[in-house]
Amino acid sequence: MTHQPIPIEVVLANPTLDKKLRTIAEKVVHQTRLSEEDGILLFEKGELGFVGALANHVRERLHGNTVYFNRNFHIEPTNVCIYTCNFCSYSRQYKHRDDGWELTKEQMLNMVKKYDDQPVTEVHIVGGVHPKMNLEFFCELIQDINTHRPDLHIKGFTAVELDYMFRKAKLSNEEGLAKMKAAGLQSLPGGGAEIFHPEVREKICADKVDAAGWLDIHATAHRLGMHSNATMLYGHIENYQHRVDHMSRLRNLQDQTGGFNCFIPLKFRNMDNDMSHVPEVSIIEDMRLYAISRIFMDNFKNLKAYWPMLGRQQAQLSLAFGVNDLDGTIDDTTKIYSMAGSEEQTPAMSTEELCDLITAVGKVPVERDTLYNSIKVYGEAVV
Ligand code: V47
Ligand code: SF4
């Protein structure tokens, strides 16, 4: 069974299709950029089947049947954090640091050495903002990893972590990033973006870097020849306007730099945090969000579903709603989602399992590197 969404021609042949939605569908066929109003209308009126058909059309034009995954592992240096984001289930304040963890450089290097015989291509390093883990500490860590295993792509540190490290070192974003690049940092992950709009940001993560600061760090990294990802934390107190505003700011920066590799919507999970009273959104809303972001973010080549957060089955379903990348860690020890209530309590999936999940819905798994160069095509889709 291929679970193919409705072809866009069938959608357009429906004589009762809403006039404004028809205009949007025609724009998608003609590859005309959607306005922010179009994006909001899709959230307000676009039914799952409709947005899925449009998103699948875009996905097939860009990627055919390919679904990417990569082999990486995560290092989380600490969960001690000076910030107090209300949605975070993972961090511990500095005064309660005995309840959290802080890894030494040696411990982190040993984690890298554990993968010496394995064909991983990337290490992803992200954690809390610890007041004592500074720029010098992380530059040394990156240098040591790079010396030990130069073929490993080092993707690390959200704009939130970098902003703090650079301010503490009294360096500009450009000076700080240049130092980290010289040490061996190659890409930035997409975390810390949350929702850019101040109406929401001030309520959920008031004390960390604001939208302008986040965007400036990514723009500067792109100028220095580095690539990065972008995320959006959705499904809490934001409304459709806030989502579209967020995606629009990212789309504008991508127009200027072309430095983003992918967009990763992150579903808010509500266990054990200060927003536990906020209900999680339904799977239908998740899939509509993926589809609309695929349609709206026309200059982002890749849309990633991060399965440890979404869950395996929903991640598989997302492949019919615009997603073309499952991240796909082989041994993911990340705690940020398991502590927030994701059903993936021990998020580890073998390459075989991941490929089966992809071929079962008629797609072709392709291992990629961090920059989306294909490494290996894994067989044909089961149709
Ligand atoms: O910025 C925190 C999110 C992000 C919760 O670039 C939560 O390849 C849901 O950005 N519910 C960090 N989400 C992780 C991240 C990431 C993950 C995987 C791949 C990449 C990449 C980046 O995690 C934070 C925040 O948006 N987060 N708490 C929560 N309760
Ligand atoms: Fe700290 Fe990141 Fe958690 Fe915010 S989301 S409290 S910055 S670890």
Side-chain angles (χ1 to χ4, degrees):
M1 246 194 286
T2 57
H3 312 283
Q4 285 309 323
I6 314 161
I8 200 161
E9 298 74 27
V10 174
V11 170
L12 283 166
N14 173 6
T16 63
L17 180 64
D18 176 279
K19 220 169 129 207
K20 287 184 175 162
L21 292 179
R22 176 179 298 280
T23 306
I24 292 179
E26 282 164 354
K27 282 190 181 179
V28 171
V29 171
H30 295 114
Q31 298 183 43
T32 305
R33 172 162 286 190
L34 299 195
S35 64
E36 291 190 21
E37 291 69 37
D38 292 334
I40 292 166
L41 191 85
L42 282 178
F43 276 116
E44 284 171 351
K45 285 192 158 182
E47 284 175 7
L48 185 64
F50 175 78
V51 294
L54 268 52
N56 197 54
H57 177 81
V58 177
R59 196 211 111 92
E60 285 188 347
R61 178 161 46 72
L62 293 170
H63 302 286
N65 254 348
T66 297
V67 175
Y68 289 116
F69 68 95
N70 73 342
R71 298 188 197 228
N72 71 1
F73 63 99
H74 286 227
I75 296 180
E76 296 178 0
T78 182
N79 68 340
V80 174
C81 191
I82 57 162
Y83 296 123
T84 52
C85 307
N86 292 342
F87 53 81
C88 185
S89 322
Y90 150 97
S91 64
R92 297 290 174 268
Q93 286 178 10
Y94 188 65
K95 61 180 180 216
H96 299 131
R97 62 189 177 281
D98 290 346
D99 298 340
W101 71 85
E102 306 174 14
L103 302 179
T104 63
K105 266 201 306 278
E106 289 64 36
Q107 284 172 316
M108 291 188 264
L109 202 58
N110 283 336
M111 289 171 81
V112 174
K113 288 179 181 164
K114 249 181 48 196
Y115 292 90
D116 275 356
D117 301 327
Q118 293 192 41
V120 288
T121 59
E122 175 189 284
V123 55
H124 172 125
I125 310 174
V126 166
V129 178
H130 190 297
K132 302 242 161 91
M133 289 180 169
N134 58 18
L135 182 63
E136 202 184 328
F137 174 86
F138 284 120
C139 280
E140 280 172 21
L141 172 72
I142 297 166
Q143 244 156 8
D144 288 350
I145 296 175
N146 208 18
T147 307
H148 177 73
R149 190 157 172 189
D151 64 311
L152 205 56
H153 186 111
I154 305 177
K155 177 181 86 180
F157 312 107
T158 63
V160 175
E161 295 166 271
L162 295 173
D163 166 72
Y164 180 78
M165 275 184 237
F166 300 162
R167 283 190 290 113
K168 209 159 178 208
K170 299 200 172 16
L171 295 177
S172 67
N173 289 340
E174 180 148 0
E175 290 162 339
L177 279 163
K179 249 180 183 286
M180 288 204 123
K181 188 180 177 209
L185 184 69
Q186 288 161 284
S187 306
L188 311 188
E194 322 313 357
I195 288 285
F196 289 141
H197 200 289
E199 270 168 23
V200 176
R201 204 166 183 88
E202 278 159 18
K203 291 197 182 108
I204 64 169
C205 55
D207 50 359
K208 71 186 186 189
V209 69
D210 64 6
W214 190 100
L215 290 164
D216 187 62
I217 287 182
H218 283 257
T220 308
H222 299 169
R223 254 200 328 276
L224 293 175
M226 300 160 90
H227 286 260
S228 70
N229 296 338
T231 58
M232 173 169 78
L233 180 72
Y234 72 91
H236 42 92
I237 60 164
E238 87 289 0
N239 62 28
Y240 295 152
Q241 277 84 354
H242 299 133
R243 290 182 184 178
V244 173
D245 169 77
H246 187 93
M247 294 196 284
S248 185
R249 293 186 203 217
L250 291 170
R251 195 173 71 171
N252 289 343
L253 180 54
Q254 180 75 328
D255 276 343
Q256 291 162 34
T257 67
F260 286 117
N261 280 332
C262 71
F263 180 55
I264 316 164
L266 295 170
K267 177 191 176 112
F268 164 68
R269 310 301 306 236
N270 68 3
M271 200 169 90
D272 284 339
N273 56 46
D274 290 344
M275 289 168 67
S276 290
H277 57 284
V278 177
E280 293 179 3
V281 295
S282 68
I283 298 174
I284 292 176
E285 266 307 293
D286 293 331
M287 296 305 135
R288 272 178 13 98
L289 185 286
Y290 278 110
I292 295 168
S293 54
R294 178 59 286 168
I295 303 162
F296 189 81
M297 309 285 271
D298 56 0
N299 54 3
F300 275 67
K301 192 141 184 231
N302 300 294
L303 180 64
K304 189 199 281 193
Y306 186 56
W307 67 262
M309 175 271 281
L310 198 60
R312 282 161 220 236
Q313 290 182 6
Q314 284 93 319
Q316 187 182 42
L317 188 62
S318 74
L319 300 178
F321 293 91
V323 167
N324 70 294
D325 181 19
L326 287 187
D327 195 83
T329 54
I330 59 163
D331 180 13
D332 187 349
T333 52
T334 187
K335 296 186 185 63
I336 199 156
Y337 297 114
S338 51
M339 289 170 80
S342 163
E343 50 271 42
E344 300 292 344
Q345 294 296 321
T346 48
M349 183 147 49
S350 69
T351 304
E352 201 187 344
E353 256 182 288
L354 190 62
C355 289
D356 285 352
L357 198 135
I358 296 168
T359 51
V361 290
K363 306 267 189 274
V364 179
V366 176
E367 184 188 346
R368 63 162 176 88
D369 65 14
T370 310
L371 303 178
Y372 288 82
N373 299 303
S374 298
I375 296 179
K376 186 174 169 189
V377 179
Y378 280 77
E380 292 299 315
V382 178
V383 283

